[in-house]
Amino acid sequence: MFSVVCRPLNSLTVSGALRKATVAMAEALAKVPDVEIDPEGTFKYILVRVKVKDGDVHKDIVRGTKSAEYHNHIFEKVNPAMEALGMECKCLGGGKMEHNSQEKKLRVFGESTAFGKADHAASVEKLKTVFSDYEITWSDDKK
């Protein structure tokens, strides 16, 4: 005859470890800059949702550069960098930006053929957190 002795898992230990892991990932996500764009000129940009792998914690980030011929070139740089941090990415759309640092103006417009139009209003809100002293506008115009 066999006897099985069952002990309940200490739920405080399990939930405590899970909470620490979640907090660590949220802290890693918080270290990802909200905005990284070129300091001057007109260029393509994308709005990206960065999410903790196998988790619900996420945030949206804006990336833009003149060096990208196509929107997917930006994503091809962002995605591996985020994966290295244990994150996963999804491009929410793209467009263009006109950045005039002398006049402290940013204009968001246009769309990405590959990813569709980003939510420019959401992108502008992100930009305002970094460029609080700028005049930032957006439109659905393509030019």
Side-chain angles (χ1 to χ4, degrees):
M1 182 173 265
F2 292 100
S3 171
V4 178
V5 177
C6 294
R7 282 190 229 160
L9 282 175
N10 183 339
S11 61
L12 291 176
T13 303
V14 172
S15 65
L18 185 60
R19 187 172 20 261
K20 282 182 186 174
T22 302
V23 167
M25 292 310 280
E27 287 173 355
L29 189 60
K31 290 179 184 173
V32 174
D34 287 354
V35 176
E36 287 183 349
I37 62 170
D38 282 357
E40 192 70 34
T42 301
F43 47 86
K44 290 175 173 45
Y45 93 93
I46 58 174
L47 180 64
V48 179
R49 174 145 303 155
V50 181
K51 179 172 120 24
V52 174
K53 276 188 183 165
D54 303 322
D56 295 329
V57 181
H58 72 271
K59 79 175 187 177
D60 296 343
I61 62 173
V62 173
R63 296 293 184 266
T65 180
K66 287 185 272 192
S67 67
E69 187 176 355
Y70 299 104
H71 290 91
N72 64 309
H73 293 160
I74 303 169
F75 189 74
E76 287 167 3
K77 287 186 176 181
V78 172
N79 194 42
M82 294 302 113
E83 284 180 346
L85 297 173
M87 311 289 173
E88 51 192 33
C89 296
K90 178 183 179 186
C91 185
L92 302 176
K96 289 185 176 180
M97 279 188 201
E98 191 175 85
H99 188 179
N100 184 329
S101 59
Q102 286 188 333
E103 293 182 19
K104 294 192 173 193
K105 290 184 179 181
L106 271 165
R107 184 172 77 96
V108 179
F109 61 99
E111 62 186 61
S112 162
T113 304
F115 299 118
K117 185 177 82 65
D119 180 347
H120 295 325
S123 299
V124 164
E125 289 308 307
K126 284 289 171 183
L127 290 166
K128 284 180 181 177
T129 65
V130 176
F131 298 94
S132 57
D133 58 340
Y134 269 56
E135 176 188 327
I136 306 175
T137 58
W138 68 272
S139 73
D140 284 331
D141 294 344
K142 298 196 191 238
K143 293 184 179 182

